[in-house]
């Protein structure tokens, strides 16, 4: 009997290094891919901004935003390339740097506060199940346990605020004012908390990577909690 593939859910604080840890895990988890769930959500917001939709008006509306409906209208598609999911909008591949920009990140945190994720979460569950049939899935996303209760492992990555500011500064190639960056991270933390995305469950392993000098060290803290034959 074939052993069932696993799903490793990775979430965490803004700037804690979730994506980098996921990519390092690819080196160790056999037959694995990364499903960048957060980038799907980012693509919705990115597409709305580029379509000229005023996000302030959406925030002020009484009716919740149907994220899946918007996604379908914008022509957003998810494809697997080089063991990671990538985003296409109207058949054009969107660079991850555009999705991860400070402006887009702040907008995502705002929209998540006024979104109805019910249908979107069902859509996400179907994508995870589809990939899980063939691969061990490393899932980088928000609200993972609520969206996908059958997750095999759930990790929440943390680090101090100052360390997260330092790491984000490097990501933005030190082209952003540190004071503004710190304020934005604090605002995004607050918005994420208000949206209920920082919830810790009984299944959750909290991993503090503040003192990790390399991504490898952070990834190994995660690997220590996983029972699976690894690529070493």
């Amino acid at each position: 009997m074939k052993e069932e593939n696993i799903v490793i859910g990775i979430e965490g604080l803004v700037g804690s290094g979730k994506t980098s840890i996921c990519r390092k895990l690819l080196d160790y988890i056999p037959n694995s891919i990364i499903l960048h769930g957060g980038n799907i959500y980012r693509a919705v917001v990115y597409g709305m901004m580029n379509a000229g939709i005023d996000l302030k008006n959406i925030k002020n509306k009484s009716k919740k935003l149907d994220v899946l409906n918007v996604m379908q209208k914008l022509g957003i598609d998810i494809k697997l390339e080089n063991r990671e999911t990538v985003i296409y909008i109207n058949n054009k591949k969107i660079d991850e740097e555009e999705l991860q920009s400070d402006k887009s990140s702040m907008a995502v945190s705002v929209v998540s506060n006024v979104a109805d994720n019910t249908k979107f979460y069902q859509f996400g569950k179907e994508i995870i199940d589809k990939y899980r049939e063939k691969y061990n899935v490393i899932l980088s996303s928000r609200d993972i346990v609520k969206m996908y209760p059958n997750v095999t492992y759930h990790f929440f990555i943390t680090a101090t605020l100052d360390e997260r500011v330092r790491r984000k500064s490097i990501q933005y190639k030190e082209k952003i004012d540190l004071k503004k960056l710190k304020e934005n991270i604090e605002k995004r933390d607050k918005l994420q908390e208000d949206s209920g995305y920082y919830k810790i469950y009984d299944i959750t392993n909290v991993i503090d990577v503040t003192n990790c000098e390399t991504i490898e060290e952070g990834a190994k803290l995660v690997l220590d909690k996983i029972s699976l034959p690894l690529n070493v």
Side-chain angles (χ1 to χ4, degrees):
M1 182 177 175
K2 181 181 179 295
E3 190 170 334
E4 184 182 26
N5 292 321
I6 67 172
V7 177
I8 303 168
I10 307 282
E11 30 187 330
L13 300 178
V14 174
S16 58
K18 302 179 294 294
T19 302
S20 296
I21 287 175
C22 287
R23 288 191 169 123
K24 181 54 67 174
L25 290 176
L26 281 177
D27 295 338
Y28 293 97
I29 307 296
N31 189 39
S32 60
I33 63 163
I34 300 175
L35 173 51
H36 294 286
N39 279 355
I40 303 174
Y41 213 102
R42 288 172 181 272
V44 172
V45 176
Y46 174 87
M48 291 168 64
M49 290 193 298
N50 280 275
I53 298 173
D54 190 341
L55 299 183
K56 290 182 179 179
N57 287 340
I58 290 173
K59 184 178 179 181
N60 294 330
K61 286 184 177 180
S62 57
K63 188 177 180 180
K64 289 279 190 177
L65 180 72
D66 185 336
V67 179
L68 180 60
N69 180 259
V70 174
M71 177 182 167
Q72 292 169 337
K73 286 183 177 180
L74 291 172
I76 295 172
D77 194 18
I78 303 102
K79 298 182 180 182
L80 186 63
E81 298 178 2
N82 299 317
R83 299 177 68 192
E84 299 186 37
T85 54
V86 294
I87 298 294
Y88 282 77
I89 299 181
N90 293 324
N91 298 315
K92 178 186 177 184
K93 186 176 179 178
I94 307 301
D95 191 278
E96 189 175 49
E97 283 192 12
E98 295 184 67
L99 297 176
Q100 296 278 355
S101 71
D102 191 50
K103 180 180 178 182
S104 293
S105 297
M106 182 59 72
V108 167
S109 296
V110 171
V111 170
S112 65
N113 255 344
V114 295
D116 180 353
N117 292 317
T118 306
K119 295 177 183 177
F120 181 71
Y121 280 9
Q122 180 58 37
F123 170 77
K125 181 180 181 302
E126 290 169 3
I127 291 178
I128 298 165
D129 282 335
K130 181 186 76 171
Y131 284 127
R132 188 176 189 174
E133 290 177 4
K134 293 184 177 181
Y135 307 103
N136 290 310
V137 179
I138 302 166
L139 173 62
S140 174
S141 192
R142 298 287 186 197
D143 222 8
I144 290 173
V145 176
K146 183 176 180 180
M147 175 179 64
Y148 196 76
N150 291 331
V151 64
T152 317
Y153 297 96
H154 182 239
F155 295 93
F156 192 88
I157 312 299
T158 71
T160 63
L161 177 59
D162 286 344
E163 178 61 15
R164 291 186 286 137
V165 170
R166 187 187 72 82
R167 294 181 185 189
K168 273 293 182 184
S169 174
I170 294 172
Q171 179 183 337
Y172 294 138
K173 299 175 182 177
E174 299 181 350
K175 293 180 179 179
I176 185 170
D177 179 76
L178 289 180
K179 182 179 179 181
K180 179 183 177 183
L181 178 59
K182 185 173 184 177
E183 290 174 352
N184 283 351
I185 289 177
E186 288 178 314
K187 286 178 183 177
R188 287 177 59 194
D189 277 342
K190 179 68 164 57
L191 288 167
Q192 298 284 10
E193 287 177 10
D194 290 346
S195 298
Y197 291 161
Y198 282 174
K199 188 172 180 181
I200 303 299
Y201 296 83
D202 290 340
I203 191 178
T204 307
N205 287 291
V206 178
I207 305 292
D208 190 333
V209 297
T210 301
N211 296 320
C212 293
E213 296 184 2
T214 65
I215 296 301
E216 179 98 9
E217 290 180 22
K220 287 189 173 179
L221 290 176
V222 172
L223 290 167
D224 285 345
K225 304 291 185 180
I226 295 175
S227 300
L228 184 76
L230 304 175
N231 295 327
V232 294

